[in-house]
Amino acid sequence: MKVMGNSNELIEAIDADEGLKAKRKLLIVTSVILLALSFTGAQVQEANTFILKLKFVNQNGLGILFVLSILFLMVRYYNYAKPYHNKLYERWTKRLLAKPHFYSHCPHSDEDDGIVADSRSSELDANMHQNVQRWVYSYQCGLPFSRSLVHVWGYNQYEDEDRMEQVNIYSRFGFKIYLVSIWFEAKEQFKSFFTHRENLDILAPYLLGIFAIASYYFNAELLKLLTLLSPTVSK
C-alpha cells in the first residue's frame, strides 16, 4: 500500500482502493435496504436470480438474514479499512496532543508544559537535554475508557534499544485531568467528522450499518417516533 503522508494523499488512497470501495458499497446498500424495510414496513415478495425466482414467505427470517449480512459485511469492510483506521488514529491523536493541555513548548527556551511533560519518568527528565537522542510520545486508547500517554526514548541510533514507559492518565493525574482529556478527545473526534473528509469516508458505513440493525430490533419504537414527527394532514 502507498505511504500516506498527508491528508490529500490519504483521501486519494481511499478513493483509489477498489477493494475498499466494493465492500463499502455492499455494506451501504444492504444497510439501506434494511432501513427501508424497517421504516416503511415494506415487504420483499420476490427476488429474481440467474437460476431461480424466489418468493419470500417468512419476512422475519428475511430481516434476520439482512442483520447477519450486515454484520458479516462490517467485518469484511473492517478487514479492508484497517490500514486507514490506523492512519486516522495516528492523525487525530497527533492533533489532540498539540493542544496545550497535553503538550506545549516554549520557543525561546527548553521549558515545556502539559501532562505529557509532567508524565515523563525521572530518568527521561534528567537526561532530556543531554543524553537522549530521540523522544516520541503518543496517546493510547484502551478499553473500556482507559487512556494512557506512551513515551519512547533512546540514547543512541539503534531503535531496538529504545526504552518505553506507559503512563495511565487517570492513575497519574486523577479524575479531573482524566475527564478534561476525555473531553478534548471527544471534541477532536467530533470535529474531525466535519473538517476531515476521510473520517466520514471510512466510518460512515459502520454508523449506517449499526443504525440499520438498531432500526430492525427497535422497529416499533421508531415507527412511533416517526408518527410523532410526521406532520398531521388536515382533512
Side-chain angles (χ1 to χ4, degrees):
M1 177 178 288
K2 178 183 176 181
V3 176
M4 297 160 279
N6 56 50
S7 182
N8 290 333
E9 289 180 355
L10 178 57
I11 291 172
E12 290 173 3
I14 292 172
D15 290 342
D17 194 326
E18 296 298 330
L20 179 74
K21 288 194 291 185
K23 300 301 177 291
R24 180 170 58 194
K25 182 179 179 180
L26 280 172
L27 177 55
I28 290 174
V29 169
T30 308
S31 299
V32 168
I33 292 174
L34 182 57
L35 280 170
L37 295 176
S38 299
F39 276 96
T40 66
Q43 295 183 345
V44 179
Q45 298 293 341
E46 295 180 347
N48 291 315
T49 68
F50 292 108
I51 302 174
L52 301 170
K53 185 176 182 180
L54 304 176
K55 184 174 182 179
F56 299 103
V57 177
N58 184 1
Q59 294 294 322
N60 288 331
L62 182 63
I64 293 295
L65 177 62
F66 273 109
V67 168
L68 293 176
S69 298
I70 290 172
L71 290 173
F72 172 76
L73 290 171
M74 287 174 73
V75 173
R76 289 290 293 148
Y77 175 69
Y78 178 78
N79 294 152
Y80 282 80
K82 185 63 168 66
Y84 304 108
H85 281 291
N86 294 340
K87 185 57 66 173
L88 291 176
Y89 178 83
E90 176 186 321
R91 293 187 176 194
W92 76 255
T93 54
K94 185 177 180 180
R95 294 193 299 268
L96 182 68
L97 290 173
K99 298 182 183 300
H101 168 76
F102 290 96
Y103 187 74
S104 62
H105 184 271
C106 178
H108 307 295
S109 68
D110 292 330
E111 294 182 1
D112 53 9
D113 197 11
I115 63 173
V116 170
D118 294 339
S119 65
R120 286 193 300 250
S121 67
S122 56
E123 177 193 343
L124 175 58
D125 229 17
N127 294 281
M128 190 66 191
H129 306 296
Q130 299 175 5
N131 302 320
V132 172
Q133 294 188 12
R134 212 169 31 261
W135 172 51
V136 293
Y137 53 89
S138 59
Y139 185 79
Q140 187 173 88
C141 300
L143 295 176
F145 291 104
S146 174
R147 298 295 184 268
S148 301
L149 297 169
V150 179
H151 299 268
V152 178
W153 70 96
Y155 297 104
N156 53 47
Q157 69 271 28
Y158 304 110
E159 293 187 5
D160 58 341
E161 297 181 7
D162 283 356
R163 304 193 180 190
M164 187 195 79
E165 182 182 31
Q166 181 173 325
V167 180
N168 185 281
I169 294 177
Y170 177 78
S171 300
R172 177 67 180 271
F173 298 103
F175 182 71
K176 183 179 179 180
I177 296 297
Y178 167 80
L179 204 60
V180 172
S181 301
I182 291 292
W183 169 245
F184 278 120
E185 176 189 329
K187 283 179 62 178
E188 179 59 45
Q189 294 213 50
F190 182 77
K191 178 184 174 184
S192 295
F193 279 100
F194 299 95
T195 57
H196 299 275
R197 182 203 118 180
E198 59 271 23
N199 288 272
L200 204 56
D201 284 348
I202 295 298
L203 299 177
Y206 296 111
L207 300 177
L208 187 61
I210 292 170
F211 185 52
I213 292 173
S215 74
Y216 175 75
Y217 286 105
F218 299 98
N219 178 261
E221 290 79 4
L222 285 172
L223 290 177
K224 288 179 182 178
L225 180 62
L226 286 176
T227 302
L228 293 174
L229 295 176
S230 300
T232 303
V233 180
S234 58
K235 296 183 179 179

mmCIF file of all heavy atoms in Angstrom, residues 1-4 7-18 20 84:
data_model
loop_
_atom_site.group_PDB
_atom_site.id
_atom_site.type_symbol
_atom_site.label_atom_id
_atom_site.label_comp_id
_atom_site.label_asym_id
_atom_site.label_seq_id
_atom_site.Cartn_x
_atom_site.Cartn_y
_atom_site.Cartn_z
ATOM 1 N N MET A 1 0.846 -1.194 0.000
ATOM 2 C CA MET A 1 0.000 0.000 0.000
ATOM 3 C C MET A 1 0.878 1.240 0.000
ATOM 4 O O MET A 1 1.920 1.292 0.623
ATOM 5 C CB MET A 1 -0.907 0.014 1.239
ATOM 6 C CG MET A 1 -1.763 1.258 1.353
ATOM 7 S SD MET A 1 -2.857 1.211 2.790
ATOM 8 C CE MET A 1 -4.012 -0.029 2.214
ATOM 9 N N LYS A 2 0.401 2.266 -0.690
ATOM 10 C CA LYS A 2 1.128 3.530 -0.772
ATOM 11 C C LYS A 2 1.214 4.194 0.596
ATOM 12 O O LYS A 2 0.265 4.213 1.354
ATOM 13 C CB LYS A 2 0.390 4.453 -1.760
ATOM 14 C CG LYS A 2 1.007 5.820 -1.917
ATOM 15 C CD LYS A 2 0.150 6.656 -2.846
ATOM 16 C CE LYS A 2 0.687 8.067 -2.952
ATOM 17 N NZ LYS A 2 -0.141 8.920 -3.820
ATOM 18 N N VAL A 3 2.389 4.775 0.887
ATOM 19 C CA VAL A 3 2.559 5.500 2.144
ATOM 20 C C VAL A 3 1.779 6.810 2.061
ATOM 21 O O VAL A 3 1.921 7.562 1.093
ATOM 22 C CB VAL A 3 4.058 5.781 2.415
ATOM 23 C CG1 VAL A 3 4.213 6.622 3.670
ATOM 24 C CG2 VAL A 3 4.811 4.469 2.547
ATOM 25 N N MET A 4 0.954 7.098 3.073
ATOM 26 C CA MET A 4 0.081 8.260 3.049
ATOM 27 C C MET A 4 0.659 9.334 3.950
ATOM 28 O O MET A 4 0.552 9.272 5.164
ATOM 29 C CB MET A 4 -1.333 7.854 3.500
ATOM 30 C CG MET A 4 -1.975 6.850 2.552
ATOM 31 S SD MET A 4 -3.327 5.923 3.287
ATOM 32 C CE MET A 4 -2.433 4.666 4.212
ATOM 33 N N SER A 7 -3.056 14.594 4.319
ATOM 34 C CA SER A 7 -4.495 14.344 4.217
ATOM 35 C C SER A 7 -4.918 14.071 2.783
ATOM 36 O O SER A 7 -5.723 13.174 2.519
ATOM 37 C CB SER A 7 -5.261 15.544 4.783
ATOM 38 O OG SER A 7 -6.645 15.316 4.749
ATOM 39 N N ASN A 8 -4.394 14.846 1.833
ATOM 40 C CA ASN A 8 -4.769 14.657 0.435
ATOM 41 C C ASN A 8 -4.338 13.284 -0.083
ATOM 42 O O ASN A 8 -5.079 12.637 -0.831
ATOM 43 C CB ASN A 8 -4.157 15.758 -0.438
ATOM 44 C CG ASN A 8 -4.802 17.115 -0.196
ATOM 45 O OD1 ASN A 8 -5.960 17.190 0.210
ATOM 46 N ND2 ASN A 8 -4.049 18.183 -0.422
ATOM 47 N N GLU A 9 -3.157 12.847 0.311
ATOM 48 C CA GLU A 9 -2.675 11.536 -0.119
ATOM 49 C C GLU A 9 -3.528 10.425 0.483
ATOM 50 O O GLU A 9 -3.781 9.410 -0.170
ATOM 51 C CB GLU A 9 -1.206 11.360 0.274
ATOM 52 C CG GLU A 9 -0.250 12.222 -0.538
ATOM 53 C CD GLU A 9 1.193 12.012 -0.127
ATOM 54 O OE1 GLU A 9 1.421 11.271 0.853
ATOM 55 O OE2 GLU A 9 2.083 12.593 -0.774
ATOM 56 N N LEU A 10 -3.976 10.616 1.722
ATOM 57 C CA LEU A 10 -4.837 9.619 2.350
ATOM 58 C C LEU A 10 -6.178 9.539 1.633
ATOM 59 O O LEU A 10 -6.689 8.444 1.372
ATOM 60 C CB LEU A 10 -5.046 9.969 3.827
ATOM 61 C CG LEU A 10 -5.976 9.051 4.622
ATOM 62 C CD1 LEU A 10 -5.496 7.603 4.565
ATOM 63 C CD2 LEU A 10 -6.085 9.517 6.059
ATOM 64 N N ILE A 11 -6.753 10.691 1.288
ATOM 65 C CA ILE A 11 -8.025 10.721 0.563
ATOM 66 C C ILE A 11 -7.872 10.048 -0.796
ATOM 67 O O ILE A 11 -8.726 9.260 -1.224
ATOM 68 C CB ILE A 11 -8.517 12.167 0.390
ATOM 69 C CG1 ILE A 11 -8.928 12.744 1.756
ATOM 70 C CG2 ILE A 11 -9.687 12.242 -0.578
ATOM 71 C CD1 ILE A 11 -9.254 14.212 1.727
ATOM 72 N N GLU A 12 -6.770 10.340 -1.485
ATOM 73 C CA GLU A 12 -6.520 9.727 -2.793
ATOM 74 C C GLU A 12 -6.379 8.214 -2.664
ATOM 75 O O GLU A 12 -6.866 7.463 -3.521
ATOM 76 C CB GLU A 12 -5.262 10.329 -3.423
ATOM 77 C CG GLU A 12 -5.424 11.778 -3.867
ATOM 78 C CD GLU A 12 -4.113 12.388 -4.321
ATOM 79 O OE1 GLU A 12 -3.087 11.655 -4.341
ATOM 80 O OE2 GLU A 12 -4.101 13.588 -4.647
ATOM 81 N N ALA A 13 -5.705 7.764 -1.608
ATOM 82 C CA ALA A 13 -5.532 6.324 -1.395
ATOM 83 C C ALA A 13 -6.874 5.647 -1.133
ATOM 84 O O ALA A 13 -7.146 4.552 -1.643
ATOM 85 C CB ALA A 13 -4.573 6.079 -0.223
ATOM 86 N N ILE A 14 -7.745 6.298 -0.339
ATOM 87 C CA ILE A 14 -9.076 5.752 -0.058
ATOM 88 C C ILE A 14 -9.896 5.673 -1.339
ATOM 89 O O ILE A 14 -10.549 4.663 -1.627
ATOM 90 C CB ILE A 14 -9.794 6.613 1.004
ATOM 91 C CG1 ILE A 14 -9.095 6.475 2.358
ATOM 92 C CG2 ILE A 14 -11.260 6.205 1.122
ATOM 93 C CD1 ILE A 14 -9.611 7.433 3.413
ATOM 94 N N ASP A 15 -9.861 6.754 -2.134
ATOM 95 C CA ASP A 15 -10.645 6.807 -3.370
ATOM 96 C C ASP A 15 -10.159 5.794 -4.402
ATOM 97 O O ASP A 15 -10.946 5.331 -5.238
ATOM 98 C CB ASP A 15 -10.589 8.216 -3.969
ATOM 99 C CG ASP A 15 -11.358 9.232 -3.136
ATOM 100 O OD1 ASP A 15 -12.190 8.803 -2.316
ATOM 101 O OD2 ASP A 15 -11.116 10.443 -3.303
ATOM 102 N N ALA A 16 -8.882 5.452 -4.343
ATOM 103 C CA ALA A 16 -8.316 4.543 -5.342
ATOM 104 C C ALA A 16 -8.376 3.076 -4.914
ATOM 105 O O ALA A 16 -8.074 2.195 -5.720
ATOM 106 C CB ALA A 16 -6.862 4.930 -5.621
ATOM 107 N N ASP A 17 -8.777 2.804 -3.704
ATOM 108 C CA ASP A 17 -8.804 1.432 -3.187
ATOM 109 C C ASP A 17 -10.080 0.729 -3.644
ATOM 110 O O ASP A 17 -11.147 0.887 -3.048
ATOM 111 C CB ASP A 17 -8.724 1.456 -1.659
ATOM 112 C CG ASP A 17 -8.417 0.086 -1.073
ATOM 113 O OD1 ASP A 17 -8.867 -0.920 -1.646
ATOM 114 O OD2 ASP A 17 -7.737 0.029 -0.035
ATOM 115 N N GLU A 18 -9.982 -0.052 -4.710
ATOM 116 C CA GLU A 18 -11.160 -0.698 -5.294
ATOM 117 C C GLU A 18 -11.768 -1.733 -4.360
ATOM 118 O O GLU A 18 -12.987 -1.879 -4.290
ATOM 119 C CB GLU A 18 -10.791 -1.352 -6.632
ATOM 120 C CG GLU A 18 -10.358 -0.366 -7.704
ATOM 121 C CD GLU A 18 -11.458 0.614 -8.068
ATOM 122 O OE1 GLU A 18 -12.653 0.241 -7.962
ATOM 123 O OE2 GLU A 18 -11.135 1.757 -8.449
ATOM 124 N N LEU A 20 -11.721 -1.723 -1.053
ATOM 125 C CA LEU A 20 -12.435 -0.992 -0.001
ATOM 126 C C LEU A 20 -13.756 -0.453 -0.523
ATOM 127 O O LEU A 20 -14.795 -0.563 0.143
ATOM 128 C CB LEU A 20 -11.563 0.154 0.509
ATOM 129 C CG LEU A 20 -12.191 1.033 1.595
ATOM 130 C CD1 LEU A 20 -12.226 0.297 2.923
ATOM 131 C CD2 LEU A 20 -11.424 2.348 1.744
ATOM 132 N N TYR A 84 -6.439 2.203 7.090
ATOM 133 C CA TYR A 84 -6.913 3.585 7.143
ATOM 134 C C TYR A 84 -7.339 3.967 8.568
ATOM 135 O O TYR A 84 -7.174 5.106 8.981
ATOM 136 C CB TYR A 84 -8.072 3.785 6.163
ATOM 137 C CG TYR A 84 -7.701 3.403 4.747
ATOM 138 C CD1 TYR A 84 -8.209 2.260 4.151
ATOM 139 C CD2 TYR A 84 -6.807 4.183 4.015
ATOM 140 C CE1 TYR A 84 -7.854 1.903 2.866
ATOM 141 C CE2 TYR A 84 -6.438 3.833 2.724
ATOM 142 C CZ TYR A 84 -6.969 2.687 2.156
ATOM 143 O OH TYR A 84 -6.608 2.331 0.881
#
